[in-house]
Amino acid sequence: MSLDEIKIGGLGASRRRVEDNRFIRGKGNYVDDIVLPGMLHMEILRSPVAHARIKSIDTSAAWDMPGVRLVLTGEMMAARNLAWMPTLSYDTAAVLATDKVRFQGQEVCAVIADDPYIAKDACAKIVVDYEILPPIVNPVQAAAEDAIQIRDDKAGQVGNKVFDWEIGDKARTDKAFEDADLVSKVEMHYPRTHPSPIECCGSIADFDRATGKLTFYVTSQAPHIVRAAVALVAELPEQQIRVVSPDIGGGFGNKVPVYPGYVISILASILTEKPVKWIEDKTGNLISTGFGRDVYLKGEMALRKDGKILGVRMNTISDHGAFFADAQPSKFKIGLMHSAFACYDIPTAHMFATGYYTNKAPGGVAYRCSFRVTEAMFFQERMVHAAADDLGMDQAEFRRVNFVKDDDFPHRTAFGFLTDSGQYEKCLNVGMEAIGYKDFAKEQEEARKRGKLLGIGISTMTEPLGAGNSREYDILGIKMFDSAELRVHMTGKAILRTGAKTQGQGHETTWAQIVAHELGIPAEDIVVEEGDTDTAPFGMGTYASRSTPVAGAAVSMAARKVRAKARKIAAHLLEVSEEDIEWELGRFYVRSNSDRGVTIQECAMAAYSNMPDGMEPGLENTAYYDPPNLTWPFAAYFCKVEIDPETGVWDVLQFVAVDDCGVRINPMIVEGQIMGGLTEAYAMANMQYQTYDEEGNCIGANYMDFLLPTAWETPGFELYEVVTPCPHHPIGAKGVGECATVAGPAAFVNAVVNALSHKGVRNIDMPLMPNRVYEALTTGKDVYGMPPVRSGN
Amino acid sequence: MYPSRFKYESPKTIEAAVALLDAGKGDAKILAGGQSLVPMLKLRFAFPDQIVDINNIPGLDYHRFDADGSLHIGALCRHEDLEHSAEIAQRQPTIAAAAPLVADPIVRTRGTFVGSVCHADPQGDWAATMIALGGHLVVQGPKGKRTIDMKDFVLGPYANALNYNEIAIEAVIPAPKGVARGGYLKLERRVGDFATASVAVALDMDGNRVLRAGIALAGVGGKTIDANEEASALVGHDLTESIIDTVAAAVAAKAEPRTDHRGSSDYKRQIVKTFVKRILVAQIAEKVA
């Protein structure tokens, strides 16, 4: 009799999160919870201005304060060749400013003191003499012929351009536009936003001169990348570097890069020979660490009268801030923007992307997405919405006509990706049914007669999750595989370690479920550990929804290797040949007599006490997994809104989310991921953005200006499920963590624009704050850009 | 949170607290709910030499209606006390409407009504409510008690009429002439956000006839906007849509909003007008019934 997989916490069990046992008791162990003997505290002095030449820095009053151990300046970093560091996009970024400050909040000095109060007091005593330079706060200013050059530190840098990059078939696309019955055009801006994890960044560097070992506790989504970076930048021997990511209070892409504070704390520990703790405050996190988005689009679609899309053009201009520090695979300059239109069968497409430096914080991290996929899918679904309107065609029907059909996989997209599975039309139908789509047009018409403004919006997309494969995806040359190491103890309990790093995703729960599925060991008997580079196998970390597609697959493969060895042990114990053994969940048995069997636990005991002659003892294995392709989940979201015509305030009346992320390991956790992602999508659509005034002051430097929605204003979401297993993943799973953040925003915006379509409104740039919606509804005109600096149009 | 260094005292009597303020010569700050002061300490926007914590002074955490119908709110009465008060819900509709809109639920458990009035934030809910209600404050200094009318209390952004050695110990809202009616509306981008615009309306009514009217605004000027003069056009009249339109337009004209990332000045005036109308229309006698 086989085990009940749900009962042992296997695949499909909505098992409660084991990590919550400590989190809900306040017993998590975050970087700031770690206290080491003799530990010093570091505070960073940041630039108050966006662009200025540093004429002088006087740190003498800070040095004079009792309790101050060290004051570091850019010059002192430069003397050790540490004033600049490489970014994840082959650019350089300042660690402490030497020549100029290039954005508000840039790191200028660091004070290391006995306690954080003294460090902060001492920062206030440092006198920096700035010669103010004109700030550049958007790409239009950056591209101007007479624009001041921001990166005058870089030999060979021309103007403020970071890159020109293109992909697709230009000639064929031009031809498609010549043949089109109608060309639909849109212009829009995806505003700058910030991942804003509740826990800010921080580190403790503990350099032991006696052993030469550096132990580095850090809030990193990718501890192994940090170790590699420290080895390369600080030129410390890699075997002497131990990076530990303890519990992490949210990452969302913000904790992928290596930040100046990390590097400075390491040098400070080496110089003081004491552990040095640096904990960023909320303003520091918001104004200096990796932001998301900030891309302008000019999009065009060539259409045939019957609704068929013939070709797509996308021209993007992106604002990268002072340093090109996007966290992305090295082949691609604007991430995976060209994953746009992957769910549509489009003959040809072309994209031209240009990036600029500005006097804003560097970053361009994938805020809960795979490298600019959020922008790609938002632009896609806004272009699709506009095109259907321009054609006078129903929004759902236009999508249905252009979807890749279930039988057409694998499908090569117009930009060159290979999608492999999906049931797009089925998802669309489930959503239409749930939201009452067919009755809406009448409902809207009647509401308009009563002066009420109702709107409906659809967003459908498939996105590439789970980089790599290693042929195409690397970061700084390191291939994007991942790993798992499974060690089964003699009593049949186990420890599993992976190269990923959970930040709330629930790996400690779900990885154990995969092992339970593969071996029949109850999930509660398996402990999961991540984040310590001395013990975990090498992996590229957790972001881009890659954990389940890559590390999760490695867990399966490691477990299968363990099962293969256990099978040999079972044959030995049952005194039959291996070919006569069958497997059912948790147990091997003799094919001719199923009553004769041994459990996986009995095999584990034998691996340590009664192994066959000539067999290595023990029961453990490691798998490094390089996926053959990305995984392609699908989302179909529907949003119904009502706008208050006197205030521009809009309410979500209903939101339906249909997600197909393949096989769900833990449905409860998947639903949590979707709810969280939709909340972030709602935030971006409704209230959340970072902008800069004319002087380059960041508007959005704290939680009163940079808004996170609460349970109060976040609408309810109705979730539906369709399952199309991933054809290449060992258990058929696809990435899901980011689908809702990626597909969500366009559903909200499309709904609001739909409500105002009869007034001639085609676009309102996010965030759709009430005043902007009111402006659109009273003027009948589109609303572009971000206040107070409106740019780009 | 790493504020500047400060001395901390927690006196047991109002007199002792006043003595500490007096000794501080302007460099002492009162800590009541701390929901504005503590963030300012954190950001080092405020760096007082002395914190005088009044939370251990007994007998200040009340709100009560006296026999004459006046409402008295002590210096340590928390927002949530008012939010959950059955008496307030029944007898003081403007405060009842505003209380659940103050900041967020966490702030409301700790922050105080009187502290919020004293903070004189141009976007503060309670200063506007008090002005609309025609209330006054009882304050105590080294020479004893005095009262300050709300119309004279808010001097500018974060500036009030208290001397440095005085504590506001009680807010008083006079008894209504007829039936107390009114409401409070606020446009905010998110719970706990500073208001884009807020409107407080307080009426004393006899049937559909207005006996007294007060309106004040928050978030639409350099300080709380007193529109009681514009509201007084309602006095002696029945509430009708036409008089409401006139008053709403006059109140909107009284606002002094600034264009910023929450919206243009015109937009904020539109919100004021809409909210004044919405609150007043809801008080028309037959709609109430």
Side-chain angles (χ1 to χ4, degrees), chain A residues 317-458:
Chain A
I317 295 175
S318 43
D319 179 335
H320 297 270
F323 312 113
F324 183 32
D326 288 28
Q328 61 192 357
S330 54
K331 259 178 90 167
F332 309 107
K333 293 296 179 202
I334 188 71
L336 304 185
M337 186 74 82
H338 59 300
S339 61
F341 293 94
C343 72
Y344 298 110
D345 185 9
I346 292 172
T348 178
H350 181 254
M351 176 184 297
F352 194 88
T354 307
Y356 285 99
Y357 290 118
T358 59
N359 290 117
K360 292 154 76 173
V365 297
Y367 169 13
R368 203 164 182 167
C369 76
S370 288
F371 321 116
R372 307 257 182 209
V373 167
T374 308
E375 293 97 304
M377 298 309 159
F378 178 77
F379 291 154
Q380 165 196 304
E381 284 307 292
R382 291 289 299 117
M383 286 172 71
V384 163
H385 183 96
D389 274 2
D390 290 350
L391 279 165
M393 200 165 161
D394 177 75
Q395 290 289 342
E397 189 55 25
F398 181 63
R399 285 169 171 83
R400 191 192 307 278
V401 164
N402 287 289
F403 274 156
V404 175
K405 306 292 180 287
D406 298 1
D407 306 336
D408 291 346
F409 295 107
H411 173 81
R412 183 67 66 183
T413 77
F415 282 120
F417 285 95
L418 193 70
T419 59
D420 54 25
S421 58
Q423 302 175 69
Y424 304 163
E425 188 163 345
K426 182 176 176 186
C427 293
L428 186 78
N429 291 341
V430 169
M432 287 170 73
E433 177 70 28
I435 201 136
Y437 188 83
K438 70 174 166 41
D439 301 325
F440 180 77
K442 213 172 127 197
E443 213 180 303
Q444 183 181 46
E445 189 59 37
E446 281 167 11
R448 279 176 182 168
K449 282 181 198 151
R450 287 180 281 118
K452 297 227 173 217
L453 299 170
L454 295 187
I456 198 163
I458 307 178

Side-chain angles (χ1 to χ4, degrees), chain A residues 121 644 646-647 704 708 713, chain B residues 44 190-191 267 270 278:
Chain A
D121 289 346
D644 179 340
E646 289 181 307
T647 62
M704 292 309 288
L708 270 55
E713 50 275 321
Chain B
R44 296 189 171 205
R190 185 210 60 189
V191 164
Y267 173 72
Q270 160 69 16
R278 285 184 183 178

Side-chain angles (χ1 to χ4, degrees), chain B residues 142-211:
Chain B
K143 289 176 189 157
K145 291 181 186 173
R146 65 176 179 128
T147 63
I148 308 175
D149 261 7
M150 266 316 287
K151 69 178 163 50
D152 305 320
F153 185 71
V154 177
L155 304 180
Y158 311 104
N160 63 36
L162 286 172
N163 292 320
Y164 70 84
N165 53 11
E166 288 178 319
I167 299 177
I169 56 171
E170 184 182 82
V172 182
I173 288 130
K177 288 175 189 163
V179 178
R181 298 210 50 80
Y184 193 86
L185 286 174
K186 167 151 84 171
L187 179 67
E188 53 186 356
R189 298 170 300 171
R190 185 210 60 189
V191 164
D193 186 22
F194 290 117
T196 300
S198 294
V199 174
V201 176
L203 304 176
D204 295 350
M205 294 185 74
D206 177 12
N208 197 37
R209 182 159 297 251
V210 179
L211 304 178

Side-chain angles (χ1 to χ4, degrees), chain A residues 101-115:
Chain A
V101 288
R102 293 176 170 82
F103 67 95
Q104 186 188 50
Q106 186 178 339
E107 299 81 357
V108 177
C109 290
V111 174
I112 292 88
D114 289 349
D115 71 44

Side-chain angles (χ1 to χ4, degrees), chain A residues 116-117 120-121 644 646-647 649 686-687 689 699 703-705 707-710 712-713 769-771 774 787, chain B residues 1-4 42-44 187 189-194 260-264 267 270-271 274-275 277-278:
Chain A
Y117 294 92
K120 204 156 179 124
D121 289 346
D644 179 340
E646 289 181 307
T647 62
V649 172
N686 186 288
M687 64 181 78
Y689 68 112
I699 313 291
Y703 277 165
M704 292 309 288
D705 288 324
L707 303 181
L708 270 55
T710 70
W712 185 262
E713 50 275 321
M769 294 191 302
N771 59 308
Y774 184 78
Chain B
M1 145 167 175
Y2 302 106
S4 304
K42 179 188 85 169
L43 295 168
R44 296 189 171 205
L187 179 67
R189 298 170 300 171
R190 185 210 60 189
V191 164
D193 186 22
F194 290 117
D260 63 12
H261 55 284
R262 286 182 173 80
S264 68
Y267 173 72
Q270 160 69 16
I271 297 300
T274 303
F275 283 180
K277 262 164 67 172
R278 285 184 183 178

Side-chain angles (χ1 to χ4, degrees), chain B residues 203-250:
Chain B
L203 304 176
D204 295 350
M205 294 185 74
D206 177 12
N208 197 37
R209 182 159 297 251
V210 179
L211 304 178
R212 183 197 166 272
I215 297 178
L217 314 174
V220 287
K223 61 175 190 170
T224 316
I225 302 285
D226 181 340
N228 284 336
E229 196 184 317
E230 287 70 17
S232 66
L234 295 165
V235 174
H237 295 277
D238 275 353
L239 267 189
T240 61
E241 301 220 0
S242 80
I243 195 166
I244 287 171
D245 281 349
T246 311
V247 168

Side-chain angles (χ1 to χ4, degrees), chain A residues 142-166:
Chain A
E145 224 163 82
D146 58 348
I148 188 168
Q149 190 174 45
I150 297 167
R151 296 302 301 276
D152 51 357
D153 58 293
K154 289 180 74 178
Q157 170 69 31
V158 179
N160 289 313
K161 192 178 275 189
V162 184
F163 60 79
D164 280 325
W165 189 78
E166 67 178 308

